[in-house]
Amino acid sequence: MCDANAPQQEQEESIMQGPSQAPTKAGVSTVGLGEREAKFIEACYNADVESIESMMEEDFVASVTDVNGRSALHFCAGNGLPTLCTKLMDRGATMDKQDVLGFTPLHMATGYVKLDTVKLLVERGADANIASFDGKLAVEIAEDMFEKTPAKQFFRANPTHEKLKEMVDVLDEATEVEEEDEEEEGLEEENGVTRSVNEFGDITEETENAKFVVRVKPRGEASSGNGIERRAVKVDDVKVTIKIKEAEKKA
């Protein structure tokens, strides 16, 4: 999908493991599109910056998608083209549009390890709490890849590992901000400890000095009835985040 020589393009290599881990590398499909729409989508898929900008100057509609539901923003995000992503969003491209697998442009940028584009989408308000249809949040895709990427490469620090670590932090913070805005059902406070459970079943406990978050995957699945399949939780499905608050400096 990525053209290593494309201008403005981030140069990280993708390490995606398939649709269960991250967006696929499946080619673009323009069946049913008009000639102009097909050329535009293909240009976005191939990171043909000159053609994309030329067609956008002609006030081309940014909402056109291929048969898999992937928009120009999906492909530009996956190719790591933040400048073009900005132009598309300014022209009305939908940040949170999901394709046939439920992937958003944020999923695409995450799966292809495009850190600058991930930061841009988060800053522009992309919803980090949207899960793909198999239950993957963007932060979970980043976490899966981070855990599978060696910290060192040829006895040196692996830049992809470091980039994934920063990406996890960015997405985790974006996800937590949204979660903290949810209605605090089940909020309890006892002996200086605040405890809340959000709609995903995540448990947050906060004291004066630290914050503990217990996150259970897969998210958003009910544990009983209502036509939703029950799924057992494995040890690997549980993530515990501990953040120590910085002590106030003494005068």
PDB file of all heavy atoms in Angstrom, residues 113-146:
ATOM      1  N   VAL A 113       1.494   1.938  11.570  1.00  0.00           N
ATOM      2  CA  VAL A 113       2.499   2.593  12.420  1.00  0.00           C
ATOM      3  C   VAL A 113       2.841   3.993  11.909  1.00  0.00           C
ATOM      4  O   VAL A 113       4.003   4.348  11.738  1.00  0.00           O
ATOM      5  CB  VAL A 113       3.785   1.729  12.544  1.00  0.00           C
ATOM      6  CG1 VAL A 113       4.584   2.156  13.772  1.00  0.00           C
ATOM      7  CG2 VAL A 113       3.455   0.251  12.654  1.00  0.00           C
ATOM      8  N   LYS A 114       1.831   4.788  11.655  1.00  0.00           N
ATOM      9  CA  LYS A 114       2.019   6.160  11.196  1.00  0.00           C
ATOM     10  C   LYS A 114       1.757   7.103  12.366  1.00  0.00           C
ATOM     11  O   LYS A 114       0.660   7.645  12.530  1.00  0.00           O
ATOM     12  CB  LYS A 114       1.087   6.467  10.018  1.00  0.00           C
ATOM     13  CG  LYS A 114       1.218   5.487   8.864  1.00  0.00           C
ATOM     14  CD  LYS A 114       2.642   5.428   8.336  1.00  0.00           C
ATOM     15  CE  LYS A 114       2.754   4.460   7.170  1.00  0.00           C
ATOM     16  NZ  LYS A 114       4.141   4.300   6.713  1.00  0.00           N
ATOM     17  N   LEU A 115       2.761   7.288  13.184  1.00  0.00           N
ATOM     18  CA  LEU A 115       2.614   8.023  14.440  1.00  0.00           C
ATOM     19  C   LEU A 115       2.138   9.454  14.232  1.00  0.00           C
ATOM     20  O   LEU A 115       1.237   9.920  14.928  1.00  0.00           O
ATOM     21  CB  LEU A 115       3.940   8.010  15.204  1.00  0.00           C
ATOM     22  CG  LEU A 115       3.976   8.786  16.518  1.00  0.00           C
ATOM     23  CD1 LEU A 115       2.937   8.257  17.500  1.00  0.00           C
ATOM     24  CD2 LEU A 115       5.376   8.714  17.137  1.00  0.00           C
ATOM     25  N   ASP A 116       2.745  10.186  13.294  1.00  0.00           N
ATOM     26  CA  ASP A 116       2.342  11.571  13.079  1.00  0.00           C
ATOM     27  C   ASP A 116       0.877  11.681  12.670  1.00  0.00           C
ATOM     28  O   ASP A 116       0.166  12.608  13.082  1.00  0.00           O
ATOM     29  CB  ASP A 116       3.215  12.217  11.997  1.00  0.00           C
ATOM     30  CG  ASP A 116       4.645  12.449  12.469  1.00  0.00           C
ATOM     31  OD1 ASP A 116       4.871  12.365  13.690  1.00  0.00           O
ATOM     32  OD2 ASP A 116       5.525  12.691  11.626  1.00  0.00           O
ATOM     33  N   THR A 117       0.425  10.723  11.865  1.00  0.00           N
ATOM     34  CA  THR A 117      -0.971  10.743  11.425  1.00  0.00           C
ATOM     35  C   THR A 117      -1.907  10.380  12.568  1.00  0.00           C
ATOM     36  O   THR A 117      -2.994  10.952  12.703  1.00  0.00           O
ATOM     37  CB  THR A 117      -1.176   9.776  10.235  1.00  0.00           C
ATOM     38  OG1 THR A 117      -0.249  10.108   9.204  1.00  0.00           O
ATOM     39  CG2 THR A 117      -2.583   9.877   9.689  1.00  0.00           C
ATOM     40  N   VAL A 118      -1.504   9.431  13.404  1.00  0.00           N
ATOM     41  CA  VAL A 118      -2.292   9.088  14.591  1.00  0.00           C
ATOM     42  C   VAL A 118      -2.449  10.320  15.482  1.00  0.00           C
ATOM     43  O   VAL A 118      -3.552  10.641  15.940  1.00  0.00           O
ATOM     44  CB  VAL A 118      -1.628   7.942  15.381  1.00  0.00           C
ATOM     45  CG1 VAL A 118      -2.265   7.801  16.767  1.00  0.00           C
ATOM     46  CG2 VAL A 118      -1.756   6.624  14.625  1.00  0.00           C
ATOM     47  N   LYS A 119      -1.350  11.033  15.716  1.00  0.00           N
ATOM     48  CA  LYS A 119      -1.415  12.239  16.545  1.00  0.00           C
ATOM     49  C   LYS A 119      -2.357  13.272  15.934  1.00  0.00           C
ATOM     50  O   LYS A 119      -3.147  13.906  16.645  1.00  0.00           O
ATOM     51  CB  LYS A 119      -0.019  12.838  16.701  1.00  0.00           C
ATOM     52  CG  LYS A 119       0.919  12.036  17.591  1.00  0.00           C
ATOM     53  CD  LYS A 119       2.280  12.711  17.672  1.00  0.00           C
ATOM     54  CE  LYS A 119       3.219  11.984  18.609  1.00  0.00           C
ATOM     55  NZ  LYS A 119       4.558  12.645  18.647  1.00  0.00           N
ATOM     56  N   LEU A 120      -2.262  13.448  14.617  1.00  0.00           N
ATOM     57  CA  LEU A 120      -3.125  14.420  13.936  1.00  0.00           C
ATOM     58  C   LEU A 120      -4.590  14.063  14.106  1.00  0.00           C
ATOM     59  O   LEU A 120      -5.415  14.922  14.463  1.00  0.00           O
ATOM     60  CB  LEU A 120      -2.780  14.471  12.443  1.00  0.00           C
ATOM     61  CG  LEU A 120      -3.779  15.226  11.557  1.00  0.00           C
ATOM     62  CD1 LEU A 120      -3.736  16.723  11.866  1.00  0.00           C
ATOM     63  CD2 LEU A 120      -3.510  14.969  10.085  1.00  0.00           C
ATOM     64  N   LEU A 121      -4.942  12.800  13.864  1.00  0.00           N
ATOM     65  CA  LEU A 121      -6.339  12.384  13.961  1.00  0.00           C
ATOM     66  C   LEU A 121      -6.869  12.550  15.380  1.00  0.00           C
ATOM     67  O   LEU A 121      -8.007  12.991  15.585  1.00  0.00           O
ATOM     68  CB  LEU A 121      -6.484  10.928  13.501  1.00  0.00           C
ATOM     69  CG  LEU A 121      -6.260  10.687  12.006  1.00  0.00           C
ATOM     70  CD1 LEU A 121      -6.158   9.191  11.711  1.00  0.00           C
ATOM     71  CD2 LEU A 121      -7.382  11.304  11.181  1.00  0.00           C
ATOM     72  N   VAL A 122      -6.044  12.210  16.360  1.00  0.00           N
ATOM     73  CA  VAL A 122      -6.459  12.370  17.760  1.00  0.00           C
ATOM     74  C   VAL A 122      -6.664  13.847  18.078  1.00  0.00           C
ATOM     75  O   VAL A 122      -7.652  14.230  18.716  1.00  0.00           O
ATOM     76  CB  VAL A 122      -5.415  11.737  18.706  1.00  0.00           C
ATOM     77  CG1 VAL A 122      -5.682  12.145  20.157  1.00  0.00           C
ATOM     78  CG2 VAL A 122      -5.442  10.214  18.587  1.00  0.00           C
ATOM     79  N   GLU A 123      -5.719  14.684  17.621  1.00  0.00           N
ATOM     80  CA  GLU A 123      -5.849  16.127  17.873  1.00  0.00           C
ATOM     81  C   GLU A 123      -7.082  16.711  17.206  1.00  0.00           C
ATOM     82  O   GLU A 123      -7.701  17.642  17.736  1.00  0.00           O
ATOM     83  CB  GLU A 123      -4.593  16.845  17.359  1.00  0.00           C
ATOM     84  CG  GLU A 123      -3.360  16.591  18.193  1.00  0.00           C
ATOM     85  CD  GLU A 123      -2.097  17.121  17.541  1.00  0.00           C
ATOM     86  OE1 GLU A 123      -2.205  17.692  16.417  1.00  0.00           O
ATOM     87  OE2 GLU A 123      -1.000  16.962  18.129  1.00  0.00           O
ATOM     88  N   ARG A 124      -7.460  16.158  16.052  1.00  0.00           N
ATOM     89  CA  ARG A 124      -8.634  16.664  15.339  1.00  0.00           C
ATOM     90  C   ARG A 124      -9.939  16.095  15.895  1.00  0.00           C
ATOM     91  O   ARG A 124     -11.023  16.454  15.438  1.00  0.00           O
ATOM     92  CB  ARG A 124      -8.516  16.330  13.852  1.00  0.00           C
ATOM     93  CG  ARG A 124      -7.436  17.104  13.104  1.00  0.00           C
ATOM     94  CD  ARG A 124      -7.776  18.575  12.932  1.00  0.00           C
ATOM     95  NE  ARG A 124      -8.934  18.799  12.100  1.00  0.00           N
ATOM     96  CZ  ARG A 124      -8.909  19.236  10.846  1.00  0.00           C
ATOM     97  NH1 ARG A 124      -7.742  19.491  10.266  1.00  0.00           N
ATOM     98  NH2 ARG A 124     -10.015  19.434  10.156  1.00  0.00           N
ATOM     99  N   GLY A 125      -9.849  15.203  16.871  1.00  0.00           N
ATOM    100  CA  GLY A 125     -11.049  14.704  17.535  1.00  0.00           C
ATOM    101  C   GLY A 125     -11.538  13.350  17.093  1.00  0.00           C
ATOM    102  O   GLY A 125     -12.684  12.983  17.355  1.00  0.00           O
ATOM    103  N   ALA A 126     -10.683  12.551  16.432  1.00  0.00           N
ATOM    104  CA  ALA A 126     -11.089  11.193  16.057  1.00  0.00           C
ATOM    105  C   ALA A 126     -11.442  10.401  17.312  1.00  0.00           C
ATOM    106  O   ALA A 126     -10.774  10.515  18.343  1.00  0.00           O
ATOM    107  CB  ALA A 126      -9.967  10.500  15.290  1.00  0.00           C
ATOM    108  N   ASP A 127     -12.477   9.585  17.222  1.00  0.00           N
ATOM    109  CA  ASP A 127     -12.978   8.831  18.377  1.00  0.00           C
ATOM    110  C   ASP A 127     -12.141   7.576  18.580  1.00  0.00           C
ATOM    111  O   ASP A 127     -12.242   6.614  17.822  1.00  0.00           O
ATOM    112  CB  ASP A 127     -14.440   8.458  18.149  1.00  0.00           C
ATOM    113  CG  ASP A 127     -15.090   7.877  19.394  1.00  0.00           C
ATOM    114  OD1 ASP A 127     -14.363   7.559  20.362  1.00  0.00           O
ATOM    115  OD2 ASP A 127     -16.327   7.730  19.410  1.00  0.00           O
ATOM    116  N   ALA A 128     -11.301   7.573  19.608  1.00  0.00           N
ATOM    117  CA  ALA A 128     -10.432   6.432  19.900  1.00  0.00           C
ATOM    118  C   ALA A 128     -11.182   5.279  20.551  1.00  0.00           C
ATOM    119  O   ALA A 128     -10.617   4.202  20.748  1.00  0.00           O
ATOM    120  CB  ALA A 128      -9.284   6.874  20.805  1.00  0.00           C
ATOM    121  N   ASN A 129     -12.459   5.478  20.880  1.00  0.00           N
ATOM    122  CA  ASN A 129     -13.246   4.425  21.522  1.00  0.00           C
ATOM    123  C   ASN A 129     -14.060   3.590  20.538  1.00  0.00           C
ATOM    124  O   ASN A 129     -14.832   2.728  20.956  1.00  0.00           O
ATOM    125  CB  ASN A 129     -14.189   5.036  22.565  1.00  0.00           C
ATOM    126  CG  ASN A 129     -13.450   5.407  23.835  1.00  0.00           C
ATOM    127  OD1 ASN A 129     -12.683   4.621  24.365  1.00  0.00           O
ATOM    128  ND2 ASN A 129     -13.655   6.623  24.300  1.00  0.00           N
ATOM    129  N   ILE A 130     -13.915   3.853  19.236  1.00  0.00           N
ATOM    130  CA  ILE A 130     -14.624   3.044  18.242  1.00  0.00           C
ATOM    131  C   ILE A 130     -13.867   1.739  18.031  1.00  0.00           C
ATOM    132  O   ILE A 130     -12.666   1.743  17.745  1.00  0.00           O
ATOM    133  CB  ILE A 130     -14.762   3.796  16.904  1.00  0.00           C
ATOM    134  CG1 ILE A 130     -15.646   5.030  17.085  1.00  0.00           C
ATOM    135  CG2 ILE A 130     -15.329   2.879  15.828  1.00  0.00           C
ATOM    136  CD1 ILE A 130     -15.789   5.878  15.829  1.00  0.00           C
ATOM    137  N   ALA A 131     -14.566   0.615  18.170  1.00  0.00           N
ATOM    138  CA  ALA A 131     -13.956  -0.698  17.964  1.00  0.00           C
ATOM    139  C   ALA A 131     -14.291  -1.222  16.579  1.00  0.00           C
ATOM    140  O   ALA A 131     -15.353  -0.933  16.025  1.00  0.00           O
ATOM    141  CB  ALA A 131     -14.445  -1.680  19.031  1.00  0.00           C
ATOM    142  N   SER A 132     -13.372  -1.984  16.002  1.00  0.00           N
ATOM    143  CA  SER A 132     -13.663  -2.673  14.748  1.00  0.00           C
ATOM    144  C   SER A 132     -14.724  -3.728  15.025  1.00  0.00           C
ATOM    145  O   SER A 132     -15.063  -4.005  16.171  1.00  0.00           O
ATOM    146  CB  SER A 132     -12.393  -3.328  14.202  1.00  0.00           C
ATOM    147  OG  SER A 132     -11.917  -4.311  15.103  1.00  0.00           O
ATOM    148  N   PHE A 133     -15.243  -4.350  13.978  1.00  0.00           N
ATOM    149  CA  PHE A 133     -16.337  -5.292  14.162  1.00  0.00           C
ATOM    150  C   PHE A 133     -15.899  -6.580  14.854  1.00  0.00           C
ATOM    151  O   PHE A 133     -16.739  -7.383  15.257  1.00  0.00           O
ATOM    152  CB  PHE A 133     -17.006  -5.601  12.817  1.00  0.00           C
ATOM    153  CG  PHE A 133     -17.664  -4.374  12.205  1.00  0.00           C
ATOM    154  CD1 PHE A 133     -17.734  -4.224  10.832  1.00  0.00           C
ATOM    155  CD2 PHE A 133     -18.196  -3.376  13.004  1.00  0.00           C
ATOM    156  CE1 PHE A 133     -18.331  -3.102  10.268  1.00  0.00           C
ATOM    157  CE2 PHE A 133     -18.792  -2.248  12.462  1.00  0.00           C
ATOM    158  CZ  PHE A 133     -18.860  -2.109  11.080  1.00  0.00           C
ATOM    159  N   ASP A 134     -14.573  -6.800  14.979  1.00  0.00           N
ATOM    160  CA  ASP A 134     -14.113  -7.929  15.786  1.00  0.00           C
ATOM    161  C   ASP A 134     -13.640  -7.467  17.159  1.00  0.00           C
ATOM    162  O   ASP A 134     -12.956  -8.183  17.879  1.00  0.00           O
ATOM    163  CB  ASP A 134     -13.016  -8.721  15.067  1.00  0.00           C
ATOM    164  CG  ASP A 134     -11.732  -7.933  14.877  1.00  0.00           C
ATOM    165  OD1 ASP A 134     -11.741  -6.709  15.124  1.00  0.00           O
ATOM    166  OD2 ASP A 134     -10.723  -8.533  14.480  1.00  0.00           O
ATOM    167  N   GLY A 135     -14.022  -6.230  17.528  1.00  0.00           N
ATOM    168  CA  GLY A 135     -13.815  -5.757  18.892  1.00  0.00           C
ATOM    169  C   GLY A 135     -12.491  -5.087  19.181  1.00  0.00           C
ATOM    170  O   GLY A 135     -12.130  -4.901  20.343  1.00  0.00           O
ATOM    171  N   LYS A 136     -11.748  -4.665  18.143  1.00  0.00           N
ATOM    172  CA  LYS A 136     -10.443  -4.065  18.367  1.00  0.00           C
ATOM    173  C   LYS A 136     -10.504  -2.543  18.380  1.00  0.00           C
ATOM    174  O   LYS A 136     -10.966  -1.916  17.427  1.00  0.00           O
ATOM    175  CB  LYS A 136      -9.476  -4.495  17.263  1.00  0.00           C
ATOM    176  CG  LYS A 136      -9.014  -5.936  17.375  1.00  0.00           C
ATOM    177  CD  LYS A 136      -7.949  -6.075  18.436  1.00  0.00           C
ATOM    178  CE  LYS A 136      -7.389  -7.495  18.437  1.00  0.00           C
ATOM    179  NZ  LYS A 136      -6.367  -7.657  19.490  1.00  0.00           N
ATOM    180  N   LEU A 137     -10.022  -1.946  19.468  1.00  0.00           N
ATOM    181  CA  LEU A 137      -9.794  -0.507  19.506  1.00  0.00           C
ATOM    182  C   LEU A 137      -8.432  -0.221  18.884  1.00  0.00           C
ATOM    183  O   LEU A 137      -7.556  -1.094  18.841  1.00  0.00           O
ATOM    184  CB  LEU A 137      -9.790   0.009  20.941  1.00  0.00           C
ATOM    185  CG  LEU A 137     -11.099  -0.077  21.733  1.00  0.00           C
ATOM    186  CD1 LEU A 137     -10.854   0.356  23.163  1.00  0.00           C
ATOM    187  CD2 LEU A 137     -12.173   0.761  21.093  1.00  0.00           C
ATOM    188  N   ALA A 138      -8.219   1.009  18.445  1.00  0.00           N
ATOM    189  CA  ALA A 138      -6.923   1.378  17.877  1.00  0.00           C
ATOM    190  C   ALA A 138      -5.812   1.151  18.895  1.00  0.00           C
ATOM    191  O   ALA A 138      -4.736   0.653  18.552  1.00  0.00           O
ATOM    192  CB  ALA A 138      -6.949   2.835  17.414  1.00  0.00           C
ATOM    193  N   VAL A 139      -6.052   1.500  20.151  1.00  0.00           N
ATOM    194  CA  VAL A 139      -5.016   1.329  21.169  1.00  0.00           C
ATOM    195  C   VAL A 139      -4.681  -0.142  21.360  1.00  0.00           C
ATOM    196  O   VAL A 139      -3.519  -0.505  21.613  1.00  0.00           O
ATOM    197  CB  VAL A 139      -5.445   1.967  22.514  1.00  0.00           C
ATOM    198  CG1 VAL A 139      -6.634   1.236  23.134  1.00  0.00           C
ATOM    199  CG2 VAL A 139      -4.267   1.995  23.493  1.00  0.00           C
ATOM    200  N   GLU A 140      -5.652  -1.028  21.205  1.00  0.00           N
ATOM    201  CA  GLU A 140      -5.394  -2.450  21.362  1.00  0.00           C
ATOM    202  C   GLU A 140      -4.572  -2.999  20.196  1.00  0.00           C
ATOM    203  O   GLU A 140      -3.732  -3.893  20.378  1.00  0.00           O
ATOM    204  CB  GLU A 140      -6.715  -3.200  21.502  1.00  0.00           C
ATOM    205  CG  GLU A 140      -7.433  -2.840  22.788  1.00  0.00           C
ATOM    206  CD  GLU A 140      -8.839  -3.397  22.868  1.00  0.00           C
ATOM    207  OE1 GLU A 140      -9.557  -3.428  21.850  1.00  0.00           O
ATOM    208  OE2 GLU A 140      -9.228  -3.818  23.975  1.00  0.00           O
ATOM    209  N   ILE A 141      -4.790  -2.471  19.001  1.00  0.00           N
ATOM    210  CA  ILE A 141      -3.962  -2.835  17.853  1.00  0.00           C
ATOM    211  C   ILE A 141      -2.518  -2.426  18.116  1.00  0.00           C
ATOM    212  O   ILE A 141      -1.578  -3.200  17.894  1.00  0.00           O
ATOM    213  CB  ILE A 141      -4.489  -2.165  16.570  1.00  0.00           C
ATOM    214  CG1 ILE A 141      -5.831  -2.782  16.168  1.00  0.00           C
ATOM    215  CG2 ILE A 141      -3.486  -2.298  15.431  1.00  0.00           C
ATOM    216  CD1 ILE A 141      -6.498  -2.067  15.002  1.00  0.00           C
ATOM    217  N   ALA A 142      -2.337  -1.194  18.598  1.00  0.00           N
ATOM    218  CA  ALA A 142      -0.993  -0.701  18.896  1.00  0.00           C
ATOM    219  C   ALA A 142      -0.329  -1.537  19.994  1.00  0.00           C
ATOM    220  O   ALA A 142       0.863  -1.863  19.906  1.00  0.00           O
ATOM    221  CB  ALA A 142      -1.054   0.767  19.312  1.00  0.00           C
ATOM    222  N   GLU A 143      -1.099  -1.893  21.013  1.00  0.00           N
ATOM    223  CA  GLU A 143      -0.555  -2.713  22.103  1.00  0.00           C
ATOM    224  C   GLU A 143      -0.123  -4.079  21.602  1.00  0.00           C
ATOM    225  O   GLU A 143       0.950  -4.578  21.973  1.00  0.00           O
ATOM    226  CB  GLU A 143      -1.607  -2.868  23.213  1.00  0.00           C
ATOM    227  CG  GLU A 143      -1.844  -1.607  24.017  1.00  0.00           C
ATOM    228  CD  GLU A 143      -3.065  -1.715  24.914  1.00  0.00           C
ATOM    229  OE1 GLU A 143      -3.888  -2.650  24.715  1.00  0.00           O
ATOM    230  OE2 GLU A 143      -3.204  -0.861  25.801  1.00  0.00           O
ATOM    231  N   ASP A 144      -0.945  -4.703  20.758  1.00  0.00           N
ATOM    232  CA  ASP A 144      -0.609  -6.026  20.218  1.00  0.00           C
ATOM    233  C   ASP A 144       0.706  -5.976  19.441  1.00  0.00           C
ATOM    234  O   ASP A 144       1.570  -6.854  19.583  1.00  0.00           O
ATOM    235  CB  ASP A 144      -1.726  -6.526  19.293  1.00  0.00           C
ATOM    236  CG  ASP A 144      -2.981  -6.927  20.057  1.00  0.00           C
ATOM    237  OD1 ASP A 144      -2.871  -7.143  21.279  1.00  0.00           O
ATOM    238  OD2 ASP A 144      -4.049  -7.024  19.439  1.00  0.00           O
ATOM    239  N   MET A 145       0.871  -4.950  18.602  1.00  0.00           N
ATOM    240  CA  MET A 145       2.086  -4.843  17.803  1.00  0.00           C
ATOM    241  C   MET A 145       3.300  -4.504  18.672  1.00  0.00           C
ATOM    242  O   MET A 145       4.397  -5.014  18.445  1.00  0.00           O
ATOM    243  CB  MET A 145       1.894  -3.802  16.706  1.00  0.00           C
ATOM    244  CG  MET A 145       0.885  -4.223  15.647  1.00  0.00           C
ATOM    245  SD  MET A 145       0.866  -3.125  14.212  1.00  0.00           S
ATOM    246  CE  MET A 145       0.270  -1.608  14.940  1.00  0.00           C
ATOM    247  N   PHE A 146       3.083  -3.646  19.671  1.00  0.00           N
ATOM    248  CA  PHE A 146       4.179  -3.270  20.570  1.00  0.00           C
ATOM    249  C   PHE A 146       4.719  -4.498  21.299  1.00  0.00           C
ATOM    250  O   PHE A 146       5.937  -4.679  21.417  1.00  0.00           O
ATOM    251  CB  PHE A 146       3.683  -2.232  21.578  1.00  0.00           C
ATOM    252  CG  PHE A 146       4.693  -1.876  22.637  1.00  0.00           C
ATOM    253  CD1 PHE A 146       5.810  -1.123  22.312  1.00  0.00           C
ATOM    254  CD2 PHE A 146       4.521  -2.291  23.946  1.00  0.00           C
ATOM    255  CE1 PHE A 146       6.759  -0.792  23.288  1.00  0.00           C
ATOM    256  CE2 PHE A 146       5.445  -1.967  24.916  1.00  0.00           C
ATOM    257  CZ  PHE A 146       6.576  -1.219  24.591  1.00  0.00           C
TER     258      PHE A 146
END
